[in-house]
Amino acid sequence: MLVLIANLGSTSFKYRLYRMDEGGQEVLAKGGYERVSDYAAVIDDALATLQKDGVISSAEEIDAVGFKTVLGKDLSGCVIADDVCVKALEDFAAVAPAHNPPYANGIRQFGKSLPHAKLVALFETAFYQWVSEARSIYALPKAWREIGIRRYGFHGASHKFVAERSAELLGRADVAQSTASLYLHGPAPIAGKPLRVVSCHLGGSSSITGIFNGVAIGTSMGFSPQSGLPQNNRVGDLDSGALPYAMKTLGISLEEAERQLTKESGLQGISGISNDIRDIHAAKNQGNADAALALAHLVDSIRHWVGSFAWQMGGIDALVFTAGIGENDYTVRKAVCEGLEEFGLVFDDVRNVACRAVEAELSAPHSKAKIFVIPANEELVLAREVFRKVTHHEIS
Ligand code: AMP
């Protein structure tokens, strides 16, 4: 089966073409466009390029197109990207203005350019469908809750991949299989010892998810990707009382406050240097106190959320790091894992320093709980979900 993964930004379009089968996958081609103003033109150009390069002989050979959509109103999961899906994206355009409009337009356009192909949307919120209501709601009046204000969670594709892969690494094929087919069949009953994993997706955008028997039980992200950990330039958790106070005291409009909270906060805001952690480390090493504070705040927030989920699950069997910071930044990983021996996590710093962006175990051999790095591959995760969905769709 040929699956095209379409990554759509407000002015960009990137794609990857996979050949998928039960045994594995192969990347056949990849490409992209910047400064896009007309999706129809670039999609047709990409299809023509694939034919010109001899990757496909006709656009009809593409069986499915996958979209990693962020969140939709009253819709989640891995779904066929039809009119209902497009409407759900449009109805929440104000919550994800950088993502939802390009995906709604892109899905429509692919429907026209590849009418025979199955279009599949994997929502970033999909992994959180089984989080309890008690942990999903905010303590708000009913009217606020009725317009859809609640915790949704993001980075679902990445955390689900961690759930599957960590279960495999821990020899729990039962949990790995249940997680693999989660969007088709829901959680399967798991016999025996529960498996408790905390997944740390630490990158330009970061979140932490507690995973019990391969199913997410909660996450640091909330209604929008504006909560939880400090992000590269977004604030993370903020007391709602701070917004009206800052607007009145600084004399700024709601739009300006929103801009500062989404563009000038997070690691960028605290350090005043950069939104890239490599620059912040360099500044700290030269004695910059704001850079040191930004790093300390990030580590403190990560430990706060890891501790919360470990407690909710009654313990932890594996702690996993993924994404740009999680895969590369051995200083942050070490600080996160310091002094946790009482909780069964014994960190091996030699393994840690040796590990850069590869799958690895960072725990000492005698550690009761494991510590892993599992590199993220979001396109592949999406291609696998699309393959599962289309295969299942054709059977059912
Ligand atoms: P992501 O969003 O997963 O692509 O992660 C991007 C972020 O990861 C960057 O903004 C950096 O802060 C961080 N990052 C990327 N590469 C490295 C590296 N080699 N060492 C430390 N941090 C890195």
Side-chain angles (χ1 to χ4, degrees), residues 96-378:
H99 297 99
N100 281 13
Y103 273 100
N105 292 338
I107 289 169
R108 268 206 203 92
Q109 192 49 51
F110 269 102
K112 288 183 196 148
S113 302
L114 293 177
H116 64 283
K118 295 243 167 27
L119 308 184
V120 177
L122 173 64
F123 282 95
E124 283 289 60
T125 54
F127 194 38
Y128 305 101
Q129 293 171 81
W130 298 277
V131 173
S132 72
E133 192 182 2
R135 205 170 292 135
S136 302
I137 59 164
Y138 292 111
L140 288 165
K142 203 164 185 180
W144 290 53
R145 287 183 279 128
E146 280 178 352
I147 58 168
I149 300 180
R150 44 162 287 213
R151 267 187 200 282
Y152 288 100
F154 301 95
H155 303 134
S158 170
H159 289 297
K160 182 171 182 278
F161 181 68
V162 164
E164 281 183 58
R165 186 66 192 137
S166 60
E168 282 169 7
L169 292 171
L170 292 162
R172 292 295 300 268
D174 54 339
V175 175
Q177 263 162 26
S178 162
T179 308
S181 60
L182 205 49
Y183 299 152
L184 301 177
H185 309 303
I190 301 294
K193 209 174 163 291
L195 185 62
R196 302 154 305 181
V197 175
V198 179
S199 169
C200 305
H201 177 109
L202 309 174
S205 172
S206 301
S207 68
I208 301 206
T209 293
I211 304 167
F212 189 87
N213 281 342
V215 182
I217 58 118
T219 184
S220 60
M221 284 282 200
F223 171 66
S224 75
Q226 264 293 74
S227 50
L229 303 175
Q231 320 284 335
N232 59 358
N233 54 1
R234 288 182 273 121
V235 61
D237 280 344
L238 177 75
D239 186 316
S240 62
L243 181 60
Y245 174 75
M247 287 170 61
K248 282 180 209 149
T249 313
L250 300 174
I252 54 176
S253 66
L254 180 59
E255 288 69 29
E256 175 57 13
E258 235 181 328
R259 194 190 64 76
Q260 293 188 18
L261 292 172
T262 53
K263 302 272 190 300
E264 293 181 356
S265 298
L267 296 178
Q268 169 78 57
I270 308 172
S271 71
I273 289 167
S274 167
N275 64 16
D276 190 309
I277 203 162
R278 290 165 285 194
D279 301 333
I280 301 174
H281 278 299
K284 180 189 169 185
N285 293 340
Q286 289 178 353
N288 185 304
D290 291 335
L293 183 61
L295 292 167
H297 178 69
L298 175 66
V299 169
D300 190 81
S301 306
I302 298 168
R303 289 172 64 99
H304 168 90
W305 282 101
V306 170
S308 164
F309 292 125
W311 187 265
Q312 296 280 11
M313 295 191 290
I316 181 167
D317 301 300
L319 176 67
V320 182
F321 293 97
T322 190
I325 296 173
E327 290 165 29
N328 294 291
D329 196 321
Y330 55 88
T331 317
V332 166
R333 292 193 303 239
K334 181 175 185 215
V336 168
C337 295
E338 217 147 67
L340 299 179
E341 295 78 11
E342 287 281 311
F343 294 93
L345 289 147
V346 185
F347 191 68
D348 182 329
D349 200 32
V350 175
R351 289 179 170 185
N352 176 44
V353 173
C355 170
R356 308 281 163 85
V358 289
E359 186 172 283
E361 183 181 335
L362 308 185
S363 35
H366 61 286
S367 181
K368 211 163 116 257
K370 303 285 185 194
I371 305 168
F372 295 121
V373 169
I374 297 179
N377 184 343
E378 308 228 23

